[in-house]
Amino acid sequence: MAWVIGSTPTSKKKFHALRLRLLLSYLGVMVTIMAASGVVVNHVVSQDLNQDLNNQLLTLAETAAKTLKLIKHEYYEYKLDDNEYEEDPDDEDLPTDLFNLSEKPSTDNNLPIQDHSVQWFDEKSQLLVKQGNLLPSGTMPENIDSPHIAVEGIIRTLTLPVFNPSPESENQELIGYIRVSKSTVALDAELVRLRMGLSIGGFVALGLTGLGAIWLIRQSLRPIEKSFEQLKQFTADASHELRSPLTAIKTSVEVMQMYPERIDPADVDKLAAIASASKQMTRLVEDLLLLSRMDRAPTPIKHQWIPVPIDEILEDQINCSDIEAEIKTITLKSKLITGLSVLGDAQNLKRLFANLLDNALQYTPGGKTVTVSMFAMENHVAIAVEDEGIGIAPENLPQVFDRFWRADPGRNHREGNMGLGLAIAQTIAQAHGGKITVTSEIGIGSCFRVQLPLVN
């Protein structure tokens, strides 16, 4: 399985990306908090409103239940002509102006729409009287002994069984049912207004949070950016100041080595170690100075650039690497395309591909192959440096182009390897408007791909 990673941005882009990540992370957390809060508020308010509506229905049903005995009396009295009812001598004088029962109770739905209705039923679930026309179409629930709530469209219905209390018996006598209905339009509208208010408030709060987050992130990163700039300045100054003493040491050692007869045999190895260390330090200083110059001017002055034949640059670097490849018995192959030029600085481009070739040869064992290939694209040229080396672990890929990075002790054996080669290669590619990507698989090898714009 191959893993791919793109080249790391320059320092300014890194801070910009860091700001963006912090902002998105902060906004993500705030959105989660506000969304969770909105859901909780909506749930609590919805529960309260629904419970309030249920309480209204229950209150209305309990009030209507007090009249059920009256309704049954008047209803069956209306049917005395059919001898269906025999007046109970124990009934008190009941008011007759509660409903106009001079004619048969109406069952049509021609009355104006109201927001609630009441229905009185006898113990056999037979409809006696209704008031209002917001009536459910469902049938009466069976065998209920407590308030029963049902929802049908925009109508919420509560059915209440009514019992005649009997002090002599524990069992109460069922005398009928009350069914009250109420429209949920007002409740739904209230919930819609609540959710709209929560949404608008959430967007406003999110906008203000975003502005506040931008300000806070800038304030928190300002000291870090200042420290980073000071560190870069120190690196540049220190590297510049080290050049002179290192040059003096290197020159002195070389002069002494030119006259071996004057050197005590016991000091030969010491001078060789000094020469090696001074050479290593000189290379490190030059690398740091190069990075420092490119950090200060990531986009070189383009009028100083010239068209550079990229195949010639690659051919020169391949020829320079042939000796090292032969020593390590590595096969160095090339697939170049002539006639392609990029606008840039020839010396920096040589340094770019020299670092990539050096890296490929260093981590490829003997008997394997390193291949340099060119690919022509519409407005770009792609150069791939592919090796059959040890590969890079997936968790290490994000740090490949970091300065002074080296993966593990197995990759640190090279003398003079300071971990700046790939960082320099990346910086040069970005300075020329290009980029570097890498694919790698442990035990199979790595492929560094450089993409550069062609001369228009």
Side-chain angles (χ1 to χ4, degrees):
M1 178 179 180
W3 295 80
V4 185
I5 186 172
S7 57
T8 308
T10 58
S11 58
K12 290 184 178 180
K13 291 183 178 180
K14 283 183 179 179
F15 278 107
H16 178 74
L18 178 59
R19 292 191 195 98
L20 183 60
R21 287 197 301 271
L22 289 175
L23 177 61
L24 293 179
S25 300
Y26 187 78
L27 290 180
V29 172
M30 293 305 299
V31 166
T32 303
I33 293 174
M34 287 190 290
S37 301
V39 170
V40 171
V41 170
N42 177 74
H43 178 73
V44 171
V45 174
S46 177
Q47 288 286 92
D48 289 344
L49 292 176
N50 279 280
Q51 187 60 44
D52 184 60
L53 179 58
N54 293 340
N55 291 338
Q56 292 179 26
L57 289 173
L58 182 59
T59 301
L60 183 59
E62 290 175 345
T63 303
K66 298 175 181 180
T67 65
L68 179 58
K69 203 170 185 180
L70 166 66
I71 297 301
K72 289 180 66 176
H73 174 84
E74 295 292 336
Y75 181 83
Y76 288 119
E77 189 177 72
Y78 174 82
K79 293 190 173 183
L80 282 176
D81 293 340
D82 298 329
N83 294 323
E84 295 181 2
Y85 176 75
E86 207 172 275
E87 186 175 3
D88 186 350
D90 295 332
D91 281 342
E92 300 176 356
D93 293 334
L94 300 174
T96 58
D97 57 351
L98 182 61
F99 296 99
N100 182 10
L101 297 175
S102 58
E103 57 183 28
K104 188 175 181 178
S106 173
T107 58
D108 60 40
N109 289 329
N110 295 326
L111 296 175
I113 296 295
Q114 301 176 10
D115 70 337
H116 67 274
S117 65
V118 183
Q119 295 171 286
W120 287 261
F121 296 84
D122 62 13
E123 64 277 7
K124 298 179 180 180
S125 300
Q126 178 183 351
L127 177 63
L128 303 177
V129 177
K130 68 182 178 69
Q131 185 181 35
N133 69 335
L134 189 67
L135 304 174
S137 59
T139 59
M140 283 282 294
E142 298 179 358
N143 301 323
I144 61 172
D145 56 3
S146 61
H148 177 272
I149 296 178
V151 178
E152 181 182 326
I154 63 169
I155 302 175
R156 183 173 300 183
T157 300
L158 182 142
T159 304
L160 178 69
V162 182
F163 299 92
N164 187 23
S166 177
E168 295 80 9
S169 174
E170 294 182 358
N171 297 324
Q172 296 178 327
E173 179 188 1
L174 178 67
I175 62 174
Y177 300 93
I178 302 295
R179 185 163 71 175
V180 294
S181 304
K182 192 172 179 66
S183 171
T184 60
V185 172
L187 172 64
D188 294 337
E190 187 68 24
L191 291 177
V192 168
R193 287 194 296 270
L194 171 65
R195 291 162 187 158
M196 186 173 296
L198 289 173
S199 300
I200 295 174
F203 282 117
V204 173
L206 186 61
L208 296 176
T209 300
L211 294 176
I214 292 173
W215 182 81
L216 288 174
I217 290 170
R218 285 180 178 176
Q219 292 296 106
S220 60
L221 289 182
R222 187 170 297 171
I224 301 175
E225 292 180 2
K226 184 178 179 180
S227 298
F228 187 76
E229 292 299 324
Q230 290 175 345
L231 179 61
K232 290 198 300 182
Q233 183 64 45
F234 170 78
T235 302
D237 294 343
S239 301
H240 181 75
E241 293 299 325
L242 284 173
R243 294 180 70 181
S244 296
L246 285 173
T247 302
I249 295 172
K250 182 180 178 182
T251 304
S252 299
V253 172
E254 289 176 350
V255 170
M256 294 177 67
Q257 289 177 328
M258 291 174 62
Y259 303 96
E261 68 278 2
R262 299 179 182 179
I263 304 173
D264 190 307
D267 296 331
V268 173
D269 292 340
K270 297 177 183 178
L271 286 176
I274 294 173
S276 176
S278 62
K279 182 179 179 181
Q280 179 180 342
M281 289 296 296
T282 301
R283 181 172 180 176
L284 173 61
V285 168
E286 294 297 333
D287 287 347
L288 289 174
L289 284 173
L290 176 61
L291 288 172
S292 178
R293 287 195 297 269
M294 289 189 170
D295 284 341
R296 292 179 178 275
T299 305
I301 303 175
K302 291 189 176 182
H303 72 264
Q304 297 178 351
W305 286 356
I306 59 173
V308 179
I310 198 67
D311 60 298
E312 296 182 9
I313 295 289
L314 290 171
E315 188 173 358
D316 290 344
Q317 297 310 309
I318 291 172
N319 291 335
C320 292
S321 301
D322 274 338
I323 297 176
E324 184 179 354
E326 290 178 4
I327 293 174
K328 298 188 64 176
T329 66
I330 296 174
T331 303
L332 189 56
K333 295 182 179 181
S334 63
K335 301 175 184 178
L336 307 182
I337 302 174
T338 59
L340 298 179
S341 299
V342 299
L343 193 65
D345 181 90
Q347 293 301 320
N348 284 338
L349 289 173
K350 287 181 180 180
R351 185 71 174 275
L352 162 62
F353 296 112
N355 287 355
L356 293 180
L357 276 169
D358 194 40
N359 183 79
L361 292 173
Q362 182 60 39
Y363 301 115
T364 300
K368 299 294 184 176
T369 302
V370 173
T371 305
V372 180
S373 307
M374 287 179 61
F375 306 92
M377 305 170 69
E378 185 176 356
N379 297 315
H380 294 78
V381 59
I383 302 95
V385 180
E386 187 174 4
D387 64 61
E388 296 178 353
I390 60 178
I392 305 171
E395 63 271 15
N396 292 326
L397 280 175
Q399 290 83 41
V400 164
F401 295 99
D402 289 351
R403 300 176 186 184
F404 299 105
W405 175 85
R406 288 175 294 185
D408 52 61
R411 295 176 63 93
N412 292 340
H413 61 275
R414 180 184 176 186
E415 182 182 358
N417 180 15
M418 306 305 293
L420 289 175
L422 293 179
I424 292 173
Q426 175 222 39
T427 304
I428 294 173
Q430 289 178 343
H432 285 77
K435 63 179 182 179
I436 300 181
T437 58
V438 55
T439 61
S440 186
E441 189 171 354
I442 290 291
I444 294 181
S446 304
C447 178
F448 288 84
R449 184 182 179 95
V450 182
Q451 185 172 313
L452 297 170
L454 292 170
V455 175
N456 294 328

